[in-house]
């Protein structure tokens, strides 16, 4: 897929104010600082589209970006931000879980995992929650440029093994780098394929 246009549409904390669920949508989620916003900029080829930062906790809202005028990328706040207050964490959980669970047009959750790390409990738990809800998701290993491909492969193998404790099958995965654009074409092809089969879900527009 060629990305011809990518534009910021809106930032939200309220589910009721999201754009109507009439276009296929892909949510990018993962631990704080894993590289969600950077990957979105790499996929779209627009450097400043999603705000990135070396400081975790940069993205705070549900941000919708419209691609080629017919599908959405959604940038979400990261989970596991150590410095967030308990109340904020609980708030995050409720808000994001409601969004993921209720969004009719959500086609696939892109779960970003730092490829440099051994399996993290918080990532596995989040995948388990998606599995329980029956939500379709893929794993996107990030920052692969930061170490050797051997190390990346080892960490992915460990993650897949950890997932097999609760899943019969491990979901599809991608290896990416926002620095080198590794994995960009594969993710866009994956999305393009799903978009072709999208049917507008039934929904009641607000009066
Ligand atoms: N080397 C390298 N650095 C990366 C890559 N992706 C992201 N980074 C860096 O990691 C830091 C965090 O990136 P973000 O894209 O802001 O991460 P995020 O997941 O959106 O973070 P929050 O919004 O805070 O949850 C930034 O300093 C990026 O430059 C990558 O593929 N390679
Ligand atoms: Mg971000």
């Amino acid at each position: 897929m060629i990305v011809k246009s990518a534009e910021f549409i809106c930032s939200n904390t309220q589910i009721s104010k999201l754009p109507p669920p009439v276009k296929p949508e892909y949510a990018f989620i993962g631990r704080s600082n894993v590289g969600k916003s950077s990957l979105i900029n790499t996929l779209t080829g627009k450097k400043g589209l999603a705000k990135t930062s070396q400081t975790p906790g940069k993205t705070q809202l549900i941000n919708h970006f419209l691609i080629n005028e017919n599908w959405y990328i959604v940038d979400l706040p990261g989970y596991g931000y150590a410095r967030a207050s308990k109340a904020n964490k609980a708030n995050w959980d409720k808000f994001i879980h409601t969004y993921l669970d209720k969004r009719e047009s959500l086609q696939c959750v892109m779960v970003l995992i730092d490829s440099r790390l051994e399996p993290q409990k918080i990532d596995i738990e989040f995948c388990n929650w998606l599995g329980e809800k029956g939500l379709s998701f893929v794993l996107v290993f990030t920052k692969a440029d930061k170490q050797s491909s051997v190390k990346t492969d080892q960490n992915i193998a460990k993650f897949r093994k950890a997932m097999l404790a609760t899943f019969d099958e491990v979901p599809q995965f991608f290896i990416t780098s926002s620095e080198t654009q590794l994995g960009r074409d594969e993710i866009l092809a994956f999305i393009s394929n799903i978009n072709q089969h999208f049917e507008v879900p039934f929904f009641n527009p607000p009066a």
Side-chain angles (χ1 to χ4, degrees):
M1 179 187 348
I2 295 170
V3 175
K4 293 191 206 122
S5 64
E7 50 175 326
F8 169 73
I9 301 295
C10 56
S11 287
N12 261 295
T13 46
Q14 274 169 276
I15 308 286
S16 59
K17 294 195 175 158
L18 298 176
V22 294
K23 294 180 194 302
E25 182 161 315
Y26 302 84
F28 286 67
I29 196 158
R31 287 193 318 133
S32 217
N33 212 239
V34 70
K36 300 174 291 294
S37 303
S38 302
L39 185 65
I40 290 168
N41 293 340
T42 296
L43 290 175
T44 57
K46 272 198 171 180
K47 255 197 158 166
L49 187 66
K51 302 259 180 319
T52 65
S53 167
Q54 290 178 351
T55 319
K58 178 69 185 171
T59 308
Q60 298 278 357
L61 302 158
I62 294 185
N63 300 292
H64 272 75
F65 301 97
L66 183 61
I67 316 300
N68 291 350
E69 298 183 7
N70 76 342
W71 59 280
Y72 288 113
I73 281 182
V74 176
D75 190 15
L76 294 170
Y79 52 74
Y81 175 37
R83 283 171 61 194
S85 70
K86 241 188 180 167
N88 267 346
K89 274 186 193 160
N91 203 16
W92 184 96
D93 264 28
K94 190 164 163 248
F95 163 55
I96 301 298
H97 284 172
T98 307
Y99 160 73
L100 293 171
D101 200 21
K102 303 273 183 265
R103 185 69 171 162
E104 301 98 322
S105 50
L106 184 63
Q107 302 300 294
C108 186
V109 183
M110 319 296 283
V111 182
L112 274 65
I113 314 276
D114 191 328
S115 69
R116 297 171 298 175
L117 306 179
E118 303 259 322
Q120 304 286 302
K121 195 168 160 230
I122 194 165
D123 291 327
I124 302 280
E125 281 174 357
F126 183 68
C127 291
N128 286 344
W129 180 83
L130 291 171
E132 281 164 24
K133 291 284 170 189
L135 291 163
S136 134
F137 70 100
V138 295
L139 305 174
V140 178
F141 292 93
T142 63
K143 307 192 183 183
D145 60 284
K146 290 233 183 192
Q147 81 267 307
S148 71
S149 58
V150 173
K151 187 76 198 157
T152 301
D153 290 345
Q154 282 173 352
N155 285 339
I156 292 175
K158 285 181 190 165
F159 195 90
R160 287 162 61 85
K161 197 173 167 201
M163 278 196 82
L164 286 172
T166 39
F167 288 83
D168 291 336
E169 269 177 69
V170 178
Q172 185 171 349
F173 70 91
F174 299 92
I175 302 174
T176 68
S177 162
S178 294
E179 290 287 311
T180 67
Q181 305 208 336
L182 178 72
R184 176 183 189 268
D185 293 348
E186 288 81 359
I187 291 182
L188 289 175
F190 170 79
I191 290 174
S192 171
N193 186 37
I194 299 178
N195 285 349
Q196 281 167 23
H197 301 106
F198 179 77
E199 283 174 27
V200 177
F202 176 81
F203 86 106
N204 289 316

